[in-house]
Amino acid sequence: MREIVPSGTHIDFLGRRHIAIAVSLAVLAAGVLAGAIQGVKFGIDFVGGTEMAVRFDPGVDVDESALRNVVGRCGVDEPSVVRYGDDVERKEFLIKFKGAEAGEVPDCPLTETDRAELAEKAEKQGGDAGNLESAHIISRIQRGIRNDVGEYETLRVDFVGPRVGSELTEAGVQAMTIAVLLILAYIAFRFSSRFAPGAVVALVHDVGITCAVFVIFGLEFDLRVLAALLAILGYSLNDTIIIYDRIRENMEIRTKYDLLDVLNRSVNQTLSRTLLTSVTTLAAVLCLLFLGGEVIRPFALAMAIGIVVGTYSSTFIAAPTLLFLETRFGDSPDAKAAAAKRKKEKDRERAA
């Protein structure tokens, strides 16, 4: 394999672990502080709302701003309007909103035909107040867009109730918890029980930092971001396993070396592979981020952050955690020698 880092490179990564840990803690603290001050912005997938996809006729002059203004005049709170699809001439838009003003809105009146259709729906649905109100809001928006913008086709309308959002949140947390527990078991089986906590700490760190960045910049959490967080767990684990594999090999053949030196050697020996993998993966994700369109952008953004943070954590979080556990609880000869050496140094410092 071609190496972009020359053989024999020896960078003291572990020597800078305290700085890296301080940076990570600072970002996590900033995320918690931002969440407490400005709140966490959840998408309609988690808090409930309505998503409506529309396609305008080719001759209609429309953009996101014009559509957002029309929908806002129809009593919708903070509507999100994004254009999607590769074909510019198709003029397809996704309209999302969490809540809307109930009843009639003077700036967005319904016709007698609209009211007759709503009455027919009410009769068919047996008077379900929630569904009738949602149908009323959609009719109002559709009438407003048709009057103020032009003719279009409704591709789909999806309603997500608060209960569904709560169930999705619960399912998402369960999925991430199960994934972390299975990873813990796999690492313990593949390497040693002392290797597993480092990998899990690194994975939790990656998800935590990615979430903190989203909270700090007020970005929205939805199912696409949740999918990206699960993908980050898998990507970051792959990077950590490569480094752990080399650490295990070096611990077996370099029993006379200090554990800190073995970890630094292992990280340096895998540096080329780590950088090549991360850069190529990041390049593909950046293509999705800038060229993939609005629909896939939240997923690509979360993945891009996760790849950068995952590469960093494999070196500065997973390896230092392993160093901590091995020097405190390890039974290998090099771990004992390292612990004895450190104890001797501390005794010398106290005596001085």
Side-chain angles (χ1 to χ4, degrees):
M1 184 179 70
R2 184 182 294 276
E3 292 189 346
I4 59 174
V5 177
S7 300
T9 298
H10 188 79
I11 302 172
D12 184 15
F13 289 106
L14 274 293
R16 298 175 175 84
R17 64 187 183 279
H18 298 298
I19 299 174
I21 292 171
V23 170
S24 294
L25 290 176
V27 175
L28 290 172
V32 172
L33 191 63
I37 294 174
Q38 64 191 25
V40 181
K41 193 174 179 182
F42 288 106
I44 64 172
D45 299 324
F46 295 110
V47 297
T50 304
E51 189 172 283
M52 180 177 169
V54 296
R55 178 192 297 154
F56 285 88
D57 293 344
V60 177
D61 183 19
V62 59
D63 58 21
E64 292 93 330
S65 177
L67 202 52
R68 193 176 297 112
N69 289 335
V70 172
V71 177
R73 280 203 301 275
C74 289
V76 172
D77 300 326
E78 300 180 359
S80 167
V81 180
V82 294
R83 189 170 192 152
Y84 69 100
D86 296 332
D87 189 351
V88 177
E89 294 300 321
R90 293 173 73 88
K91 298 183 178 177
E92 295 177 349
F93 295 86
L94 195 63
I95 303 167
K96 296 193 294 183
F97 54 91
K98 297 172 187 172
E101 190 177 334
E104 296 281 353
V105 175
D107 292 338
C108 207
L110 294 177
T111 65
E112 289 302 325
T113 306
D114 296 330
R115 291 192 180 89
E117 289 178 356
L118 284 172
E120 187 180 347
K121 284 182 183 177
E123 189 176 348
K124 288 180 180 176
Q125 294 174 0
D128 187 319
N131 288 339
L132 290 177
E133 184 55 39
S134 298
H136 188 278
I137 292 169
I138 291 299
S139 295
R140 201 168 66 204
I141 293 171
Q142 289 173 329
R143 176 59 55 192
I145 294 174
R146 189 161 284 116
N147 288 342
D148 296 352
V149 180
E151 288 299 323
Y152 69 96
E153 176 189 1
T154 301
L155 301 177
R156 63 181 172 84
V157 177
D158 294 326
F159 302 101
V160 181
R163 183 174 176 182
V164 176
S166 173
E167 290 173 354
L168 286 173
T169 304
E170 190 177 330
V173 172
Q174 283 180 352
M176 297 198 71
T177 304
I178 292 171
V180 167
L181 290 176
L182 290 176
I183 288 168
L184 190 68
Y186 170 73
I187 296 292
F189 173 76
R190 169 85 186 270
F191 297 98
S192 155
S193 57
R194 292 194 186 92
F195 281 63
V200 171
V201 168
L203 297 180
V204 173
H205 166 275
D206 298 345
V207 172
I209 294 288
T210 305
C211 291
V213 173
F214 265 68
V215 173
I216 292 169
F217 290 100
L219 302 173
E220 188 174 278
F221 281 91
D222 57 19
L223 283 181
R224 294 167 292 185
V225 177
L226 177 62
L229 293 179
L230 289 170
I232 288 168
L233 290 180
Y235 175 83
S236 181
L237 178 64
N238 179 60
D239 226 19
T240 302
I241 284 177
I242 290 170
I243 294 177
Y244 272 7
D245 218 21
R246 185 56 59 92
I247 290 173
R248 183 180 58 178
E249 291 174 5
N250 284 335
M251 287 177 73
E252 290 173 357
I253 63 176
R254 297 177 184 276
T255 55
K256 294 181 180 178
Y257 287 80
D258 185 272
L259 181 60
L260 186 67
D261 184 60
V262 169
L263 294 179
N264 263 326
R265 282 174 182 273
S266 304
V267 173
N268 278 280
Q269 288 168 356
T270 55
L271 194 57
S272 280
R273 182 170 180 172
T274 300
L275 290 177
L276 280 171
T277 304
S278 299
V279 169
T280 51
T281 311
L282 184 62
V285 172
L286 288 178
C287 289
L288 289 177
L289 179 62
F290 293 111
L291 305 174
E294 290 291 339
V295 174
I296 203 169
R297 187 158 294 159
F299 175 85
L301 177 60
M303 278 300 299
I305 297 170
I307 289 171
V308 174
V309 177
T311 305
Y312 156 86
S313 71
S314 299
T315 302
F316 290 108
I317 301 298
T321 304
L322 178 61
L323 175 67
F324 173 81
L325 293 173
E326 280 295 312
T327 51
R328 265 64 180 177
F329 310 108
D331 54 2
S332 59
D334 53 343
K336 289 180 178 177
K341 183 179 177 182
R342 271 187 286 280
K343 185 173 183 300
K344 195 177 291 181
E345 289 174 352
K346 285 182 181 177
D347 291 341
R348 254 200 316 268
E349 287 174 3
R350 289 196 194 97

